Amino acid sequence: MPINGLPEPADLRSKPDRPCGRVAAVRGSVVDVRFDADLPPIRTLLRAGENDQMAFEVLSQLDARHVRGIALTPTQGLARGMPVISTGGPLKVPVGKAILSRMFDVFGRTIDRLEEPVGVTWRSVHHAPPPLVDRSTRSVVFETGIKIIDVLMPLETGGKAGLFGGAGVGKTVLLTEMIHNMVGKHKGISIFCGIGERCREGQDLYAEMKDAGVLQHMVMMFGQMNEPPGARFRVGQAALTIAEYFRDDEHRDVLLLIDNIFRFIQAGSEVSGLMGQMPSRLGYQPTMGTELAELEERIANTGSGAITSIQAVYVPADDFTDPAAVHTFSHLSASIVLSRKRASEGLFPAIDPLQSNSKMAVPGIVGERHYVLAQQIRRTLAQYAELKDIIAMLGLEQLSSEDRKVVARARRLERFLTQPFFTTEQFTGLQGKLVSVADALDGCGRILEDEFTDLPESALYMIGAISEAKTGRAASKKSGKRATPTASEEEALRAA
């Protein structure tokens, strides 16, 4: 009998006598099964239906004869009295070099319409996190090539970073840009895990990565939003199992991108409600903290390699006090907060530099010069935020000369920290830019020293290194035209 819908591993073919039971009750995605022999252990995968196409995982043992499981597949057609077979083990996924450039579902079945990979081994999706003695204590900055992230909220190799934001502010675009940059820059393995996301996004990502020529360094795993909550709840562990293989067996550095970790919490909430558990605050499951920790603690930096994770986190109603956002914050080494206001102003990536932070932004890790420059940038942007109300009410001319300089620096910094992405070239018509940390720091330092006061603000908008601004000025002088001001520039001019 197949396991996960694929040919059985050899270790299970030698066990023909596995426990058999019958369906006792079906309530949506919750299935009760009666076994007359020994009960299967918790987390055992059970199969039922024609060709064993229905699968569910044991979550609790109700009494000496009954277990309760959560369906990983739709339960249409499942009826009381139907036979159920225990697979004798937990949910498993394939690992090996043959899975590179492929797309899988939670069962390890390919969904890219290509042949099944050969020469793979199957591993359980349930693993304990690496022990503390095996974890690396070195803190190394993980360069992304995105200016605002590398300067103000540097990521950690082997750390966890969260992309926080509401719907439509650019979380998925930022994730796909990081995949593009990291595969080309670090030559590592990228694993994309889609939890409860749209099938369109998976198709678009696959096409973009194929066109960019980086698909051979990637593995994609999807539990789409139309799938049962049990599948969405386990797809994160399945992707982590693949990441752990490349870290521990292949000794490769892995970039694990999860979109969206809130959907994992949401799936856990659905499973908890279906299992009859009493809800906790705002309707979330009482075990949310434990379930999230079981997933997050497996993402670690060891002596054999590192799993660096970047996770999109949907924030319900942009409320950062929501328990899902609060619990996720506690696991992260960097928090990247996306702002709807900045997105409306056309400042992409729409990252709020004052709400975002990183534990790596200290002199001992990034260096004294980087730390001082980052603090000056934050201070300048914070002063500008305080002055915006005065400008709106009284106008720019009512500010002191020093405050006007602060405003000029802040507005130029905001525009310099925008960046055209490779993954949005077809929409914007702008060629993507990959900017080193040294170039980003050089540009910010020169703006803070008022070196570009003779340039229009728009000359710094959507460029890479600061040297491109002078090219833009030369082009505008040659054509005799000033660059078109942005909407926020025109607003400030009207206010003045």
Side-chain angles (χ1 to χ4, degrees), residues 89-111:
L91 179 67
K92 296 184 178 182
V93 291
V95 296
K97 293 182 179 179
I99 68 173
L100 288 172
S101 77
R102 305 302 301 273
M103 294 175 70
F104 299 93
D105 64 7
V106 69
F107 297 101
R109 297 178 300 206
T110 55
I111 54 175

Side-chain angles (χ1 to χ4, degrees), residues 116-188:
E116 301 291 346
V118 295
V120 298
T121 56
W122 292 80
R123 290 188 181 175
S124 167
V125 302
H126 303 288
H127 290 281
L132 290 176
V133 292
D134 293 342
R135 298 186 182 229
S136 175
T137 56
R138 290 178 64 242
S139 294
V140 180
V141 172
F142 187 84
E143 286 192 34
T144 65
I146 299 172
K147 289 181 287 189
I148 190 169
I149 293 176
D150 288 342
V151 171
L152 295 178
M153 57 224 67
L155 307 186
E156 178 185 7
T157 299
K160 296 179 277 284
L163 289 177
F164 291 84
V169 292
K171 297 185 297 298
T172 303
V173 170
L174 200 52
L175 280 183
T176 53
E177 181 70 8
M178 287 183 182
I179 291 176
H180 183 281
N181 293 357
M182 291 314 100
V183 171
K185 186 179 179 65
H186 290 268
K187 306 299 181 186

Side-chain angles (χ1 to χ4, degrees), residues 34-147:
R34 177 183 174 85
F35 286 89
D36 293 325
D38 294 336
L39 292 184
I42 302 295
R43 291 181 173 173
T44 299
L45 188 68
L46 307 179
R47 286 280 182 179
E50 186 179 355
N51 297 323
D52 299 327
Q53 81 273 21
M54 297 182 189
F56 27 93
E57 183 181 308
V58 177
L59 290 189
S60 66
Q61 297 178 341
L62 301 179
D63 53 39
R65 288 288 175 265
H66 293 84
V67 298
R68 178 166 291 171
I70 188 74
L72 306 182
T73 56
T75 56
Q76 285 87 348
L78 195 64
R80 294 176 62 184
M82 288 181 64
V84 176
I85 297 178
S86 169
T87 62
L91 179 67
K92 296 184 178 182
V93 291
V95 296
K97 293 182 179 179
I99 68 173
L100 288 172
S101 77
R102 305 302 301 273
M103 294 175 70
F104 299 93
D105 64 7
V106 69
F107 297 101
R109 297 178 300 206
T110 55
I111 54 175
D112 51 11
R113 299 180 182 177
L114 300 176
E115 294 182 0
E116 301 291 346
V118 295
V120 298
T121 56
W122 292 80
R123 290 188 181 175
S124 167
V125 302
H126 303 288
H127 290 281
L132 290 176
V133 292
D134 293 342
R135 298 186 182 229
S136 175
T137 56
R138 290 178 64 242
S139 294
V140 180
V141 172
F142 187 84
E143 286 192 34
T144 65
I146 299 172
K147 289 181 287 189

